[in-house]
Amino acid sequence: MVPATDPPRDTQATIDYQAIQASEEFRTLRSRHRSFAFPLAVAFLVWYFAYVLLADYAHDFMSTPVIGHINMGVILGLAQFVTTFGITMWYVSYANRKLDPLATSIRSDIEGADSGEHEEAHS
Amino acid sequence: MSVLVRAAADTETIGEPLLNIGIFAAFVAITLIVVLRASRNNKTAADYYAGGRSFSGGQNGTAIAGDYLSAASFLGICGAIAVNGYDGFLYSIGFLVAWLVALLLVAELLRNTGKFTMADVLSFRLKQRPVRMAAALSTLAVCLFYLLAQMAGAGGLVSLLLGIHEEVGQSIVIAVVGTLMILYVLIGGMKGTTWVQIIKGALLIAGAAVMTVWVLALNGFNLSELLGNAAAVAGPEILEPGMKYGVTETSKLDFVSLALALVLGTAGLPHVLMRFYTVPTAKEARRSVVWAIWLIGLFYLFTLVLGYGAVTLVGADRILAAPGGVNSAAPMLAFELGGAWLLGIIAAVAFATILAVVAGLTITAATSFAHDIYTNVIKRGKTSQGKEVRVARITVVVIGVLAIIGGIGVQGQNIAFLVALAFAIAASANLPTILYSLFWKRFTTRGALWSMYGGLGSALLLIVLSPVFSGTETAVFADANFAIFPLQNPGIVSIPLGFALGWLGTITSKTAEEPRIAAEMEVRSLTGHGAEKAVEH
């Protein structure tokens, strides 16, 4: 599991980041992050602009009363709040399950191979 | 500015100025004590700029909400809904949805790779000095615009609450607010500023919650009834989109431009980005954003009720006629609901809002100047931390003075609208480079410079050539007319331009950047390896 790091050339430990970057574990982490974040970012932006364009160019549709005086515009506006809260919770649960353990594992691999360099931060 | 002049003529003072001053003075006294206590441990640059990186996600999330929910949100949006109806609510949605960009794409990766400023991240794998310079300049530009917006709010509020209607008196109060802010930042640094923001964020949300419940209670806890009452007072169009932006084809396009700037601006706001450095890890940075999204979302839901409540209980005509104009909707609603005491409290919260946001902006601008321009560009990294913090403190004073002078100049403009311009600059100049340098391996120094200067330059130029600056009654130069760009918000042109220039600059670069450092940045950004740790005392 430990990515192939170059042995330290001298007393100063150096880390071969390119090897880590090419490692299976890191590539999994990166693709997990991007395959979640990118499509979701596109999706919420599309939904946001769909709403904006409706509010801007479809006044009659947005003014349709739905419940009492609450019209389509208010409903869709509140729906933007709901999706924002929803996406937030979804991402947090995904990151806790799929991203954090992997990131921690890679980090401790690097720091194990490169022991001592980051200890002073705690003093 | 004409609104203010007109308003000053027929003077209406609500509440009791002495009570207002008393409550505000109590807030200042309490926060000053907190700031003094918090600043005892300010030793290093990490203490001064990043509060020792020791805040928890919940604390930082509240501080982010306190920083983000500026006078623009509280006074500006409530006023915009009260006067322009549904179109004002659209600000709330843009300001909130924007946080998803920060959450999904920016916050954690930025926390892992940077130290104090946005420029730390942008210059990580590119040429240090030119990229830092560009990032620092756009940081300063965004901060200044945002500062002006807050100061504009301060002027209007003062005239309403303290019964000071002469321009001289208002200017003196703006100077007092500015001086207080300088004091906070000088003494407290980031730690003190953060505590002021936490206290203020909690007070603001609590105050807005009380008013919201109150307004709802008067309407039988029924949103439909509230909307119906608002429509009965102001006509059914208050519930429909288009009152402000639906008038002409140009104004419709202007609205798209505004929407673009709002949603893409947040993740490029330097004072928001800097807050991510005050927590110990990327996980806490994520937690901060989650807290911030909940608090900010809740608050914007309140603005809907407060805005329509102000329509019903106060009425658009009285709001526009009051000193402070459209920005006075929330304080007037407070007076209508709870009399002089609630007005005093809400007004103190609004003052605190301005104070806290101005402090956050000032420390961001000062950090960027001292850390990026002074230490890394001018001194090429050869200076001491003590010297750098001293430069930052001097910058705080300079920026504070600039903000006071500028604030006296821009009174009477709608704050939410001025802030939207700052968002447009942030989205055009900062966000493309942030995203490219985090996610695009081939991105080069030339791409970064073209994107940042192109985005910043085009946004500023279009603002100068827009109706905001000349050709209309409310423009900065009302008598001249050089407004050849029809839109008020430049985002629809300058944001795509910023992205396009970053791409063009990169693909035309002959030299590739060092792949080793690019690999280091990517590994660090995703794993948190080598991230700056919390300072322990």
Side-chain angles (χ1 to χ4, degrees), chain B residues 77 120 184 323 394 489 507:
Chain B
I77 293 180
D120 285 336
Y184 278 135
I394 296 168
N489 195 299
I507 60 157

Side-chain angles (χ1 to χ4, degrees), chain A residues 15 17-18 20-21 26 29-30 33-34 36-38 40-41 44-45 48-49 51-59 62-63 67-74 76-78 80-81 83-85 87-89 91-92 95-96 99-100 103-104 106-107 110-111 114 117-118 121-123, chain B residues 86 89-90 92-94 96-97 100-101 103-105 108-109 223-225 227-228 231 239-242 245-246 249 251-253 255-256 259-260 262-264 283 286 290 293-294 297-298 300-301 304 438-439 441 515-516 518-520 522-524 526-530 533-534 536:
Chain A
I15 301 168
Y17 287 103
Q18 278 168 295
I20 301 169
Q21 191 185 35
F26 182 79
L29 174 65
R30 185 176 56 194
H33 178 258
R34 294 189 179 180
F36 187 87
F38 287 3
L40 206 55
F44 84 74
L45 284 174
Y48 170 74
F49 279 107
Y51 164 76
V52 164
L53 291 177
L54 279 176
D56 207 14
Y57 292 99
H59 292 169
M62 294 298 253
S63 311
I67 312 163
H69 293 281
I70 301 176
N71 59 21
M72 207 56 179
V74 175
L76 288 184
L78 294 178
Q80 290 283 338
F81 282 77
T83 49
T84 301
F85 292 143
I87 289 172
T88 303
M89 290 192 294
Y91 172 70
V92 168
N96 286 339
L99 301 180
D100 287 351
T104 311
I106 298 173
R107 192 172 62 234
I110 303 172
E111 280 160 16
D114 177 44
E117 205 206 340
H118 297 282
H122 291 288
S123 59
Chain B
Y86 190 83
F89 186 46
L90 292 160
S92 296
I93 291 166
L96 175 69
V97 172
L100 290 177
V101 182
L103 176 73
L104 293 175
L105 301 175
E108 296 166 46
L109 307 182
L223 183 63
S224 170
E225 196 178 317
L227 297 178
L239 304 180
E240 298 164 7
Y245 291 102
E249 286 308 311
S251 69
K252 285 183 181 175
L253 202 61
F255 177 70
V256 177
L260 196 64
L262 294 185
V263 80
L264 296 178
K283 199 173 164 118
R286 180 192 310 148
V290 173
I293 286 178
W294 281 106
L298 202 64
Y300 284 143
L301 286 174
L304 181 68
L438 286 173
F439 296 110
K441 218 178 262 183
R516 199 178 51 76
E520 177 175 353
E522 191 173 88
V523 169
R524 287 178 54 168
L526 279 168
T527 63
H529 163 70
K533 303 281 199 302
E536 287 171 25

